[in-house]
Amino acid sequence: MDLITIWFVLLAVLWTGYLVTEGFDFGVGMLLPVLDKGSGASDLEARPQAASHLDQRGESDLDQRGGDQRESETRRRTMLTTIGPHWDGNEVWLLTAGGATFAAFPHWYATMFSGMYLALLLLLVTLILRNMGLEYRHKRHDREWVRRWDLAIVAGSFVAPFLVGVALTNLVAGLPMTEHMMGSTAYTEFDGNLLSLLTPVAILGGLTVTAACLTHGAHFLALKTTGDIRTRARSVATRAGLVTAVLAVALFVWLGTQRGTTAAWVAMALAAVALLAAIAANTKGREGWAFVGTSVTIGLTVVAYFLMLTPNAINGRGDSPDLTLEAAASSPMTLTIMTWAAVVFTPIMLAYTVWTYWVFRRRLSVEHMPVREQAGAEAH
């Protein structure tokens, strides 16, 4: 296996790591406004029976609303605490993938970042605002302050995976490209605009990745919480999983008929089987296996995408030329130095990641959250 192939495979590993780890905390962010309300039965049982006699007094409605808001905030804090130790570390996968692309395949990096400049800028702004929400929502105990940062978290959790899905699907489905000559060297460059990225198959790819992250996040919450949040997360995971399965099959068939190879079809078929197995495990209360199932689904989808790219870095749309890996790669000396660096630092990064998840493996519940007087609480 030559160094170009090694680094292409390593990029697939980095993207898999990013979408598996960041995918579940995107899903948790999406579920904040869905799982922050308690079930009716448990809420009534939690309130004193005397509360039923207060309905005739004007204060009762205010007290009930205040109690519901406090409960909602506590549930949100519980959900955010499950990803608190992990979300910033999960983004290291994306930074590493970007840095590795820049160093190993500079022409790929330049073409992708220039052609998708506005989309990637929007992704960057979205991630920044989402991260600010996770960091700053607990800095003040003002209800409006918390509400606005929660909006940033929820919106960012939807928009970011959608943009990632659109970008990766465009690389496989094909971009409008043109070839330029500089002396005796031919350079393949992007020849389109922002609207060129918003094709039906790219939008379907964005929706599929978003739905997969939602399902993945619901499985994570079911695995990491107890009580009503766990029960409702399992219910949401089943419904979201079925939607994801429909979208994924449509996407796989669409891309497979255009770019599919035998290996890619096998990877896509196994991804679909893993997703169905995750749904089945979730319905039986096997949250751990359900989470493994969606993780495998995401990983195999990335594998299928990269198999449909090979031997290119970017497929050309229609009659457009392809940007090949060989044309996009750095010099052999650069790849050799990077390979030795990866051999040293990749095991360290993986070991630290595994250690972090092991340390914070405990389930959480609303009872673990300290009581606060106002609705505005810590994100971690």
Side-chain angles (χ1 to χ4, degrees):
M1 183 182 295
D2 58 59
L3 291 178
I4 293 177
T5 303
I6 289 174
W7 277 96
F8 187 68
V9 171
L10 183 56
L11 281 177
V13 172
L14 292 173
W15 276 107
T16 299
Y18 175 68
L19 289 173
V20 168
T21 58
E22 187 81 333
F24 70 72
D25 64 53
F26 282 148
V28 171
M30 296 182 214
L31 290 171
L32 284 185
V34 178
L35 301 181
D36 67 340
K37 306 294 190 299
S39 61
S42 62
D43 290 346
L44 290 174
E45 291 173 0
R47 296 190 183 100
Q49 294 182 354
S52 62
H53 301 295
L54 296 176
D55 291 338
Q56 299 177 353
R57 303 209 308 255
E59 299 89 2
S60 62
D61 291 337
L62 294 175
D63 291 342
Q64 182 172 345
R65 284 197 297 269
D68 290 343
Q69 289 170 347
R70 286 190 294 272
E71 180 185 3
S72 175
E73 171 60 19
T74 302
R75 293 169 72 90
R76 290 192 178 208
R77 288 167 54 207
T78 303
M79 288 185 279
L80 290 175
T81 300
T82 63
I83 63 172
H86 309 300
W87 66 264
D88 47 356
N90 293 342
E91 293 188 344
V92 172
W93 291 94
L94 178 62
L95 297 175
T96 307
T101 304
F102 173 77
F105 301 98
H107 197 173
W108 185 2
Y109 180 93
T111 302
M112 184 171 63
F113 275 73
S114 61
M116 302 180 182
Y117 181 81
L118 291 177
L120 293 175
L121 177 62
L122 178 58
L123 173 62
L124 179 62
V125 171
T126 298
L127 290 174
I128 290 173
L129 290 176
R130 178 179 180 273
N131 295 350
M132 289 175 65
L134 292 169
E135 288 286 357
Y136 285 104
R137 78 180 301 274
H138 68 285
K139 298 298 184 182
R140 289 170 56 184
H141 298 164
D142 177 69
R143 187 171 298 155
E144 187 63 20
W145 170 273
V146 174
R147 186 189 68 81
R148 290 175 179 174
W149 285 122
D150 281 353
L151 179 61
I153 295 171
V154 175
S157 298
F158 275 100
V159 174
F162 176 79
L163 293 175
V164 170
V166 168
L168 294 179
T169 303
N170 268 305
L171 297 180
V172 176
L175 290 173
M177 308 285 283
T178 187
E179 195 171 73
H180 300 284
M181 295 298 298
M182 184 175 294
S184 59
T185 305
Y187 290 92
T188 306
E189 304 288 350
F190 177 75
D191 185 28
N193 52 44
L194 180 61
L195 295 180
S196 303
L197 307 177
L198 300 178
T199 61
V201 67
I203 293 174
L204 176 60
L207 293 175
T208 303
V209 172
T210 304
C213 289
L214 178 61
T215 306
H216 197 42
H219 287 157
F220 180 77
L221 280 177
L223 180 64
K224 289 289 293 180
T225 60
T226 61
D228 187 59
I229 296 178
R230 176 187 181 186
T231 302
R232 296 185 61 201
R234 285 174 50 192
S235 176
V236 170
T238 299
R239 298 194 297 271
L242 294 174
V243 173
T244 303
V246 173
L247 292 173
V249 169
L251 178 65
F252 291 162
V253 171
W254 196 330
L255 289 177
T257 54
Q258 294 179 351
R259 303 286 183 179
T261 62
T262 301
W265 277 110
V266 170
M268 290 187 288
L270 292 176
V273 171
L275 179 57
L276 294 177
I279 296 172
N282 179 68
T283 58
K284 296 179 180 180
R286 305 288 295 275
E287 294 102 341
W289 284 112
F291 183 76
V292 170
T294 46
S295 298
V296 172
T297 298
I298 293 171
L300 287 172
T301 301
V302 173
V303 170
Y305 267 45
F306 274 68
L307 287 172
M308 286 185 282
L309 270 178
T310 308
N312 300 321
I314 301 177
N315 290 328
R317 182 181 300 172
D319 296 330
S320 298
D322 302 320
L323 176 61
T324 65
L325 289 171
E326 185 176 357
S330 291
S331 67
M333 176 63 72
T334 301
L335 294 177
T336 300
I337 295 173
M338 290 176 58
T339 301
W340 284 110
V343 168
V344 174
F345 291 107
T346 301
I348 296 174
M349 183 179 72
L350 292 176
Y352 175 76
T353 301
V354 171
W355 176 79
T356 301
Y357 281 93
W358 174 256
V359 170
F360 295 100
R361 65 190 182 276
R362 181 183 177 184
R363 288 182 182 267
L364 296 175
S365 70
V366 293
E367 286 77 16
H368 292 123
M369 298 298 105
V371 177
R372 294 185 179 276
E373 296 182 358
Q374 299 183 6
E378 290 185 335
H380 308 309

